């Protein structure tokens, strides 16, 4: 078995983001492909919200290493409020490399501090590194404020990660294009889309229910919506077009019938 060091803030029992499921499921299925996951994350006291039910899903093959961090209320909050995790994460990563044969690095954001830990470990350990982006780091026009000092610093750090990582994985084709635009010269071949999905085993015991056809349907987006990055209007306009298309035949038949009656 090869050993991969997975650096992630969101890992059970952390429960503030659906992104926790991506790293959790990666750590569950990687052993099938010959990789033993060593998960580097924070001590539970630093999680803003916990889900103890989710903690039961941590796979037996995953070795979880939890570190301390500087108090988020006192530490430097760039690129995020857990920047104080970086020195502790790097020290723990180096310690693990002395006791375990770490063959590859994996980091996932948000939070981008995980990428900074991997960036520093990449320089010292010289291991292949996969940087996973579940969401954009810098969102043009949204965050940080364009032209600000924070924008310039975070844009620089983002480009360092994109250029130094051996592979970059993203959740959508749109995010792939976003990163390619933001980092000129970034090879398109090294940015790979691995979409979010679901684990069939989680639904193995769910009973199928046959319900009568509903007169309406519900669209759920379990995430943030912003005009700059997740503008909902194209979707709503498409739904409106479908509604108009679905009701058009009845209107045409009605007009046709009316014309025939007038002719008679």
């Amino acid at each position: 078995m090869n050993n991969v060091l997975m650096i992630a803030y969101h890992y059970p029992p952390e429960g503030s983001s659906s992104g926790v499921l991506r790293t959790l499921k990666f750590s569950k299925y990687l052993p099938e492909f010959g990789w033993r996951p060593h998960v580097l994350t924070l001590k539970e006291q630093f999680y803003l919200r916990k889900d103890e039910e989710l903690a039961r899903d941590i796979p037996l093959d995953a070795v979880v290493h939890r570190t301390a961090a500087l108090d988020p209320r006192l530490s430097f909050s760039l690129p995020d409020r857990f920047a104080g995790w970086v020195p502790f994460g790097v020290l723990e990563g180096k310690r693990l490399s002395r006791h375990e044969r770490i063959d590859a690095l994996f980091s996932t954001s948000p939070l981008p501090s995980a990428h900074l830990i991997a960036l520093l470990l990449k320089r010292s350990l010289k291991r292949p590194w996969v940087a996973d982006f579940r969401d954009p780091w810098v969102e043009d026009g949204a965050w940080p404020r364009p032209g600000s000092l924070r924008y310039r610093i975070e844009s620089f750090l983002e480009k360092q990660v994109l250029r130094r990582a051996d592979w970059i994985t993203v959740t959508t084709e749109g995010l792939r294009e976003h990163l390619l635009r933001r980092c000129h010269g970034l090879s398109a071949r090294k940015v790979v889309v691995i979409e979010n999905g679901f684990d069939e085993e989680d639904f193995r015991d769910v009973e199928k229910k046959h319900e009568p056809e509903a007169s309406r349907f519900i669209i759920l987006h379990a995430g943030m919506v912003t005009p700059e990055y997740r503008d909902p209007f194209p979707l709503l306009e498409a739904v409106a077009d479908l509604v108009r298309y679905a009701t058009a035949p009845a209107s045409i038949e009605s007009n046709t019938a009316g014309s025939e009656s007038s002719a008679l």
Side-chain angles (χ1 to χ4, degrees):
M1 290 281 280
N2 295 310
N3 292 316
V4 55
L5 182 60
M6 306 182 71
I7 306 163
Y9 169 78
H10 294 102
Y11 197 79
E14 202 285 328
S16 68
S17 169
S18 60
V20 69
L21 295 173
R22 184 173 175 91
T23 308
L24 173 63
K25 298 304 181 179
F26 279 5
S27 69
K28 176 181 177 180
Y29 287 103
L30 277 173
E32 294 184 11
F33 299 90
W35 291 91
R36 178 185 294 109
H38 287 261
V39 182
L40 177 58
T41 186
L42 280 164
K43 291 183 177 179
E44 294 184 20
Q45 68 195 61
F46 292 99
Y47 291 148
L48 302 178
R49 185 177 302 164
K50 291 196 289 186
D51 185 341
E52 299 299 342
E53 291 290 330
L54 200 60
R56 299 176 184 176
D57 291 336
I58 296 177
L60 296 177
D61 289 327
V63 185
V64 183
H65 308 271
R66 301 188 183 275
T67 75
L70 297 177
D71 190 329
R73 297 169 296 179
L74 304 176
S75 64
F76 193 48
S77 62
L78 195 154
D80 54 67
R81 65 192 304 268
F82 283 100
W85 175 36
V86 173
F88 294 88
V90 172
L91 288 174
E92 180 66 8
K94 290 182 177 180
R95 187 192 70 80
L96 287 172
S97 71
R98 293 192 296 267
H99 295 84
E100 303 285 349
R101 190 191 72 251
I102 300 299
D103 299 289
L105 303 171
F106 171 89
S107 58
T108 181
S109 67
L111 302 171
S113 284
H115 290 323
L116 298 188
I117 294 173
L119 176 64
L120 295 172
L121 289 175
K122 166 75 174 178
R123 291 175 175 174
S124 60
L125 302 183
K126 311 297 184 184
R127 296 292 187 270
W129 170 27
V130 178
D132 180 55
F133 284 75
R134 307 190 310 272
D135 286 308
W137 182 342
V138 176
E139 296 191 46
D140 291 321
W143 175 262
R145 181 171 56 82
S148 64
L149 177 61
R150 186 182 188 108
Y151 177 87
R152 293 194 293 271
I153 293 175
E154 295 210 35
S155 294
F156 171 79
L157 294 174
E158 177 192 51
K159 288 180 174 60
Q160 290 297 306
V161 169
L162 294 174
R163 289 169 177 162
R164 299 296 179 88
D166 297 279
W167 292 94
I168 299 161
T169 53
V170 295
T171 51
T172 67
E173 185 62 38
L175 181 49
R176 179 178 183 271
E177 294 173 358
H178 168 83
L179 294 181
L180 291 173
R181 287 195 304 268
R182 287 207 36 85
C183 187
H184 298 295
L186 179 63
S187 172
R189 295 175 58 186
K190 102 175 191 178
V191 187
V192 179
V193 177
I194 301 180
E195 296 178 341
N196 286 328
F198 68 95
D199 188 347
E200 291 185 359
E201 286 194 6
D202 291 343
F203 301 89
R204 183 174 50 196
D205 299 326
V206 176
E207 295 182 5
K208 293 183 179 180
K209 294 184 178 180
H210 299 281
E211 298 181 355
E213 184 177 349
S215 59
R216 62 175 182 168
F217 66 95
I218 298 173
I219 298 175
L220 170 65
H221 171 70
M224 184 173 60
V225 174
T226 65
E228 296 82 7
Y229 183 65
R230 297 184 180 93
D231 185 356
F233 283 101
L235 173 63
L236 298 177
E237 290 170 354
V239 172
D241 286 341
L242 287 173
V243 172
R244 285 192 289 268
Y245 176 81
T247 57
S251 301
I252 293 174
E253 291 175 3
S254 176
N255 292 336
T256 303
S259 299
E260 292 176 349
S261 298
S262 298
L264 293 173

